[in-house]
Amino acid sequence: MAQLVCDNVDGIATIGDYSWPLSMWLSQLKFSQELQASRLIGYLLARQVEQQNWPEIDLVCALPLHPLRWVSRGYNQSVLIMSAFLKEIEIPVYTGLVRHKYTRAQSASNREKRLTNIANAFIAIEPILDKKVLLIDDVLTTGASIKAATLALKNAGATDVYIACGATRLFI
């Protein structure tokens, strides 16, 4: 059984496992430019976060793409999910998390590559002292991206980082 490596997060909420129909919606959003899928995913994710016994969240941010990946895809699916999420739950947005290291797409990598590929890929360029941050992503596989982003947020002063993902798809 695969284990998540994001042991530095303070809580994780997901809609469910990466199976139909959730897998179809997420895949269409990420790879087929079916952007309307983000509305349903954001709505359902907000319902999941509301059910968590977490302290009040101060800031929310989406897992960023490297600028080159953003240009090639044309959008960041996590930003679209966050936008829909914010229609349900009002939380100030933190825009200081940046992906400054370009790597191969995680979806094209095996587990070992995923774990090393993403190390030190993120930096938080604005301090967030004593804040609880919610990080939104589409799919949680190994947790390598989440771990690296959480480290950057905590290095910038976040006290807690919680994760909200559309689905979990544990990668063996």
Side-chain angles (χ1 to χ4, degrees):
M1 177 73 172
Q3 293 204 342
L4 295 173
V5 298
C6 52
D7 54 0
N8 57 343
V9 303
D10 297 285
I12 299 173
T14 67
I15 299 168
D17 292 330
Y18 191 82
S19 58
W20 192 90
L22 190 53
S23 59
M24 179 186 68
W25 299 331
L26 287 161
S27 181
Q28 288 175 338
L29 172 60
K30 189 169 189 173
F31 301 113
S32 301
Q33 297 187 353
E34 297 287 335
L35 307 184
Q36 71 277 6
S38 65
R39 288 181 278 197
L40 179 58
I41 296 165
Y43 172 83
L44 293 172
L45 199 52
R47 302 291 76 83
Q48 288 299 319
V49 168
E50 287 174 333
Q51 294 178 28
Q52 304 305 309
N53 188 22
W54 294 343
E56 186 173 342
I57 302 293
D58 301 305
L59 299 168
V60 64
C61 68
L63 190 76
L65 294 177
H66 188 276
L68 293 176
R69 175 99 47 228
W70 188 305
V71 167
S72 69
R73 185 175 294 154
Y75 59 95
N76 178 344
Q77 69 280 358
S78 296
V79 169
L80 296 176
I81 293 169
M82 181 182 72
S83 295
F85 175 94
L86 290 171
K87 289 181 177 17
E88 305 299 319
I89 300 174
E90 290 186 35
I91 304 172
V93 176
Y94 174 71
T95 59
L97 184 63
V98 176
R99 184 163 180 171
H100 65 98
K101 177 182 169 187
Y102 184 80
T103 59
R104 277 185 59 187
Q106 289 289 84
S107 60
S109 300
N110 66 28
R111 181 175 174 81
E112 278 67 39
K113 283 281 188 197
R114 286 172 184 243
L115 298 178
T116 58
N117 194 26
I118 201 81
N120 302 310
F122 302 95
I123 187 166
I125 58 172
E126 299 169 15
I128 44 176
L129 299 176
D130 300 322
K131 300 291 184 189
K132 294 170 187 64
V133 180
L134 178 65
L135 180 60
I136 293 181
D137 196 13
D138 58 346
V139 179
L140 180 60
T141 52
T142 62
S145 297
I146 294 300
K147 181 175 185 170
T150 296
L151 180 61
L153 291 166
K154 288 190 174 183
N155 284 342
T159 56
D160 300 294
V161 177
Y162 298 90
I163 309 303
C165 287
T168 52
R169 182 182 185 196
L170 295 183
F171 197 84
I172 300 173

